[in-house]
Amino acid sequence: MSNTFAVNVSDPGLQSQFTQVELRSLKSKFMTLKNQHGKVTVGDLPPVMAKLKAFTGILTEDEVKGFLSDSHSDLSAESDFEDFLRSYLSLHAQATSKLGGSKNSSSFLKATTTTLLHTIIESEKSSYVAHINSYLRDDPFLKQFLPLDPTSNELFDLAKGGVLLCKLINVAVPGTIDDRAINTKRVLNPWERNENHTLCLNSAKAIGCTVVNIGTQDLVEGRPHLILGLISQIIKIQLLADLNLKKTPQLVELVDDSKDVEELLGLAPEKILLKWMNFHLKKAGYKKTVNNYSSDLKDGEAYAYLLNVLSPEHCTPATLDTKDPTERAKLILDHAEKMNCKRYLTPKDIVEGSSNLNLAFVAQIFHERNGLSTDHRKISFAEMMTDDVLTSREERCFRLWINSLGIDSYVNNVFEDVRSGWILLEVLDKVSPGSVIWKHATKPPIKMPFRKVENCNQVIRIGKLMNFSLVNVGGNDIVQGNKKLILAFLWQLMRFNMLQLLKNLRFRSGGKEISDSDILNWANKKVRSTGRTSHVESFKDKRLSNGLFFLELLSAVEPRVVNWNVVTKGESDDEKKLNATYIVSVARKLGCSIFLLPEDIVEVNQKMILTLMASIMYWSLQQQEAVEAGESSPTPSTTSTVTTASEPSPASSVNDEDEISSFSGLTIDDNASDSSVTSRTESDEEPQVVNE
């Protein structure tokens, strides 16, 4: 692996249009072309451009050639890298125009951060600054910098150190980052700053943010549109945290029967919020249905009805009587403030239909007063629909992993969302490119049930070709939502992904294929090489529970990453939990993209233990490859992405973009696998996961 490097362009305006991740990827394409031909001409560009992910399926090679011919009088003219970038931007505009503008995403979390079309919306910036000032004003480290001035660039300057974003993630999902792993000094050196940004990005992925096109260098440079995009996702995750049956079982009141409850489980949080809003609007006598957070809320009438039914004690007829939308919006905000709702938007934002700020405002209203029933029978039913702790943890891990891969779909609930088979096909195509026969697949929404079975049958067929253990399993088992089978299949898929990455890395070093036992032996040998005597027998070894072996392993691959002054002996349950929490953050700070929880270490969940150990191994082998290649020592911004294909490394960017961190062709060591899948037998016994 190459160390992470910055690509600089002489034209600052041109450079500002790209993230460093994008620049590195495009630079590698350009250099590959130049190495092949000795120089690059405009005529060499069409076949390369047409294969780029941004244009695949949108522009043909002939269309690319036609556009370039219109903008260049001589196709034989030599093209340098800056010309290459300008051609890319021109083609991107053509592709966007052909699609009729940028596509709207079904989920705010799926809207990836990009730079090609960016605008800073001052009202959103002001709202986010107010949120930060409110929630982080008492933070021991950040309080010296707060409050921030929303009219200045203080937000972006403070974000350059990485501490702010790490702390904001902890506000959104408490306990995600161990404060002991954050470098908190007033003046940080480049290494410490990059460590903070690496920790931030890996932790953001671990709470569900989509950060496909953003790297640590972009945060170091304080790029406003990227920072605001990331902050927006983090804040929304915080505001929508209670929009699920587990946190708010009263939401069951929004549906009539068990079938509707299943549908509710699969809805994105913002869709549930709309369903909640319309539920109350219907009770209030409002005749329209709110379908979005922009145009449907501009006149303020829906807000007036909603607040009147939730808080009748503060109701005033003037809100609906006034004909001026701006005046009505002002009265709405006055009403909301009496309910203790924070002001995430201004009257102007309501009238102009700011979707992000309206979403935040509605979420705040829900948080303060959801107006739902406390019918214990319905609540008990909702609680019955939620999963046990271990199942929930595994579902969470696989959901975050899938969302980190950069596929088109976004998963809100694994068990509901995979039942059509489409998402599993997307994941399989990402993990093993070319394995899916798309002409035999049906994209949701799917009205005919047998089409779902066809999709899932193809999933099972591909799984068997990849040597997954799928005993008597058919596509219908996935369609029926069999949780044990789904979890077992996804585990084998994640494990395949992980081992293939290690195999590909070692292949470039002349190594061999990797098995589970190889990972374990590597870890023991690495710890032993530092003079320590710790040793584990398997991924189920209870000695892993105190966390000391993992801390010794992390210290062995990067001595400065562990602060032994904050490590406990791991003797009590509390001490084990402290060590486990620290391990997860240190691994992410090092560059490991992992989705396990501290509880997985304390309880020695062998699947999650394997993913953690493999991720550390991958990071270490990357450094060895850099040294063997005669390169300088890798920088701390290098990211080990064992379980995700979302953020390309500089090394992987020399391949086609669709193959970045994607894996195929490994024969799984079945003896090392801990899961095989069994379906229903003739006796109709409950399907189960068999531990080998």
Side-chain angles (χ1 to χ4, degrees):
M1 147 123 197
S2 232
N3 56 307
T4 299
F5 57 92
V7 177
N8 294 313
V9 179
S10 62
D11 181 352
L14 181 60
Q15 177 156 344
S16 69
Q17 297 297 307
F18 300 88
T19 67
Q20 279 296 317
V21 173
E22 291 164 339
L23 283 172
R24 287 195 295 268
S25 180
L26 292 171
K27 181 78 170 183
S28 70
K29 297 286 190 303
F30 179 81
M31 293 306 299
T32 299
L33 192 60
K34 187 172 183 179
N35 291 336
Q36 289 174 349
H37 301 285
K39 67 175 183 177
V40 178
T41 67
V42 177
D44 295 327
L45 301 184
V48 176
M49 291 291 191
K51 291 179 181 178
L52 294 178
K53 189 174 181 180
F55 310 132
T56 301
I58 304 173
L59 298 177
T60 66
E61 184 176 331
D62 288 340
E63 287 176 319
V64 172
K65 185 175 181 179
F67 289 136
L68 293 178
S69 298
D70 292 340
S71 56
H72 296 79
S73 57
D74 183 6
L75 292 182
S76 63
E78 187 170 352
S79 174
D80 61 18
F81 181 55
E82 292 194 14
D83 292 331
F84 182 84
L85 293 178
R86 291 189 179 93
S87 295
Y88 180 91
L89 287 176
S90 176
L91 289 170
H92 189 279
Q94 295 288 350
T96 302
S97 175
K98 187 175 179 181
L99 288 173
S102 57
K103 301 180 211 175
N104 291 325
S105 171
S106 60
S107 169
F108 72 84
L109 293 176
K110 188 66 193 106
T112 55
T113 307
T114 186
T115 59
L116 295 175
L117 298 168
H118 57 265
T119 304
I120 302 303
I121 301 175
E122 288 299 326
S123 59
E124 290 190 14
K125 174 188 167 187
S126 297
S127 178
Y128 301 153
V129 167
H131 183 94
I132 290 168
N133 288 338
S134 174
Y135 282 93
L136 291 173
R137 62 188 174 194
D138 296 324
D139 180 84
F141 176 77
L142 291 176
K143 64 182 181 182
Q144 62 184 310
F145 304 104
L146 301 181
L148 298 173
D149 179 2
T151 64
S152 71
N153 287 324
E154 290 177 357
L155 170 63
F156 310 121
D157 292 336
L158 185 57
K160 290 179 181 179
V163 179
L164 173 67
L165 295 174
C166 287
K167 297 281 189 176
L168 195 59
I169 287 171
N170 269 352
V171 170
V173 184
T176 299
I177 299 176
D178 191 325
D179 281 345
R180 296 172 294 174
I182 305 174
N183 298 317
T184 51
K185 295 194 306 187
R186 194 172 181 91
V187 179
L188 297 170
N189 63 42
W191 185 286
E192 294 166 330
R193 184 183 57 202
N194 281 333
E195 281 185 331
N196 281 348
H197 290 314
T198 303
L199 174 59
C200 163
L201 291 177
N202 283 322
S203 298
K205 283 187 283 188
I207 66 171
C209 293
T210 302
V211 291
V212 174
N213 275 336
I214 183 171
T216 56
Q217 185 63 29
D218 299 307
L219 299 181
V220 168
E221 294 174 4
R223 296 197 170 194
H225 47 287
L226 293 177
I227 289 173
L228 283 183
L230 184 55
I231 288 175
S232 173
Q233 291 190 71
I234 294 170
I235 290 176
K236 286 171 184 174
I237 285 173
Q238 175 190 344
L239 295 176
L240 299 178
D242 294 337
L243 268 297
N244 59 74
L245 284 177
K246 188 174 182 180
K247 293 283 187 70
T248 312
Q250 296 94 330
L251 285 168
V252 74
E253 188 179 354
L254 304 182
V255 298
D256 297 322
D257 53 41
S258 58
K259 185 177 180 180
D260 290 334
V261 172
E262 291 180 359
E263 180 185 342
L264 191 66
L265 287 170
L267 285 179
E270 62 269 32
K271 297 292 186 183
I272 296 177
L273 191 62
L274 276 181
K275 196 174 185 71
W276 166 81
M277 188 176 190
N278 284 312
F279 171 80
H280 283 301
L281 289 177
K282 185 177 179 180
K283 287 201 305 184
Y286 189 61
K287 303 300 181 184
K288 302 175 186 176
T289 298
V290 177
N291 296 307
N292 56 63
Y293 294 99
S294 54
S295 59
D296 287 357
L297 298 176
K298 282 185 175 182
D299 61 12
E301 286 188 6
Y303 276 135
Y305 276 92
L306 178 66
L307 295 179
N308 285 349
V309 75
L310 292 176
S311 176
E313 69 274 19
H314 301 305
C315 173
T316 170
T319 307
L320 283 172
D321 290 341
T322 182
K323 302 301 181 184
D324 180 4
T326 302
E327 180 61 26
R328 179 181 293 139
K330 182 179 181 301
L331 292 172
I332 286 166
L333 294 178
D334 290 341
H335 189 159
E337 197 160 344
K338 293 174 183 175
M339 295 168 58
N340 200 33
C341 292
K342 292 184 175 63
R343 287 208 174 202
Y344 280 100
L345 73 179
T346 65
K348 182 181 178 183
D349 296 322
I350 293 178
V351 173
E352 293 182 351
S354 172
S355 57
N356 279 343
L357 298 184
N358 274 315
L359 173 62
F361 184 50
V362 177
Q364 183 67 23
I365 295 171
F366 175 88
H367 178 75
E368 290 298 329
R369 192 173 302 192
N370 63 43
L372 296 174
S373 165
T374 54
D375 187 326
H376 294 293
R377 290 174 299 175
K378 284 191 172 184
I379 292 175
S380 297
F381 174 70
E383 290 170 343
M384 286 170 57
M385 296 293 293
T386 57
D387 301 310
D388 61 74
V389 174
L390 183 58
T391 299
S392 293
R393 288 217 305 260
E394 291 197 3
E395 186 275 337
R396 169 196 170 276
C397 173
F398 295 134
R399 169 168 37 88
L400 294 171
W401 171 65
I402 291 171
N403 288 334
S404 75
L405 295 175
I407 64 174
D408 290 337
S409 302
Y410 189 89
V411 178
N412 295 293
N413 181 293
V414 165
F415 301 127
E416 292 302 316
D417 294 349
V418 303
R419 290 172 64 178
S420 71
W422 181 263
I423 286 176
L424 291 176
L425 290 173
E426 286 187 282
V427 175
L428 284 165
D429 193 56
K430 179 68 72 170
V431 169
S432 180
S435 61
V436 177
I437 304 175
W438 289 109
K439 65 181 180 180
H440 294 163
T442 305
K443 187 175 183 178
I446 302 174
K447 295 180 180 179
M448 305 298 290
F450 75 91
R451 295 295 186 192
K452 297 181 181 180
V453 177
E454 286 179 348
N455 283 352
C456 292
N457 281 340
Q458 185 175 182
V459 169
I460 298 300
R461 178 187 64 78
I462 297 170
K464 289 178 178 178
L465 290 174
M466 295 165 74
N467 291 328
F468 290 3
S469 182
L470 300 166
V471 183
N472 296 325
V473 178
N476 196 53
D477 296 302
I478 297 175
V479 176
Q480 296 299 318
N482 188 305
K483 294 181 179 181
K484 289 184 179 180
L485 295 183
I486 290 169
L487 289 178
F489 182 87
L490 285 172
W491 163 242
Q492 292 185 86
L493 188 54
M494 176 188 268
R495 180 175 169 275
F496 177 93
N497 183 355
M498 178 174 55
L499 294 180
Q500 183 63 15
L501 174 57
L502 287 168
K503 181 238 182 181
N504 287 349
L505 187 63
R506 292 297 294 272
F507 178 77
R508 292 197 294 271
S509 305
K512 62 182 183 66
E513 290 187 354
I514 302 293
S515 68
D516 292 5
S517 57
D518 289 326
I519 297 171
L520 194 67
N521 292 335
W522 171 85
N524 280 320
K525 182 179 178 181
K526 199 70 181 177
V527 170
R528 192 165 58 248
S529 69
T530 64
R532 300 182 185 272
T533 59
S534 296
H535 180 88
V536 291
E537 299 294 334
S538 71
F539 299 112
K540 297 186 287 187
D541 195 321
K542 294 301 180 184
R543 285 174 291 187
L544 290 165
S545 180
N546 62 21
L548 294 179
F549 180 83
F550 276 118
L551 289 165
E552 291 176 358
L553 178 59
L554 287 164
S555 182
V557 300
E558 177 48 70
R560 67 177 299 282
V561 79
V562 176
N563 179 3
W564 289 100
N565 292 326
V566 301
V567 175
T568 74
K569 295 181 179 179
E571 295 175 345
S572 67
D573 289 343
D574 288 342
E575 288 185 343
K576 290 179 180 178
K577 180 69 178 294
L578 282 170
N579 282 352
T581 303
Y582 187 55
I583 289 166
V584 173
S585 289
V586 168
R588 288 176 179 152
K589 177 180 179 178
L590 189 68
C592 301
S593 183
I594 50 178
F595 304 103
L596 79 168
L597 292 170
E599 290 83 357
D600 293 315
I601 298 174
V602 174
E603 297 170 14
V604 194
N605 181 328
Q606 67 184 90
K607 296 177 185 177
M608 299 302 110
I609 293 291
L610 172 57
T611 64
L612 175 59
M613 202 173 289
S615 189
I616 298 170
M617 178 181 180
Y618 177 61
W619 188 89
S620 179
L621 293 179
Q622 283 181 313
Q623 316 313 302
Q624 290 181 27
E625 284 210 344
V627 172
E628 290 169 6
E631 297 168 353
S632 59
S633 178
T635 70
S637 60
T638 299
T639 301
S640 164
T641 320
V642 164
T643 54
T644 175
S646 64
E647 184 178 339
S649 68
S652 63
S653 65
V654 299
N655 302 317
D656 188 83
E657 287 187 356
D658 284 334
E659 296 176 356
I660 290 173
S661 298
S662 298
F663 328 105
S664 61
L666 176 66
T667 300
I668 294 293
D669 179 2
D670 288 320
N671 292 325
S673 176
D674 72 342
S675 298
S676 64
V677 186
T678 305
S679 185
R680 295 184 184 275
T681 65
E682 291 181 3
S683 61
D684 202 35
E685 293 179 352
E686 185 67 18
Q688 55 187 312
V689 177
V690 180
N691 290 327
E692 296 182 352

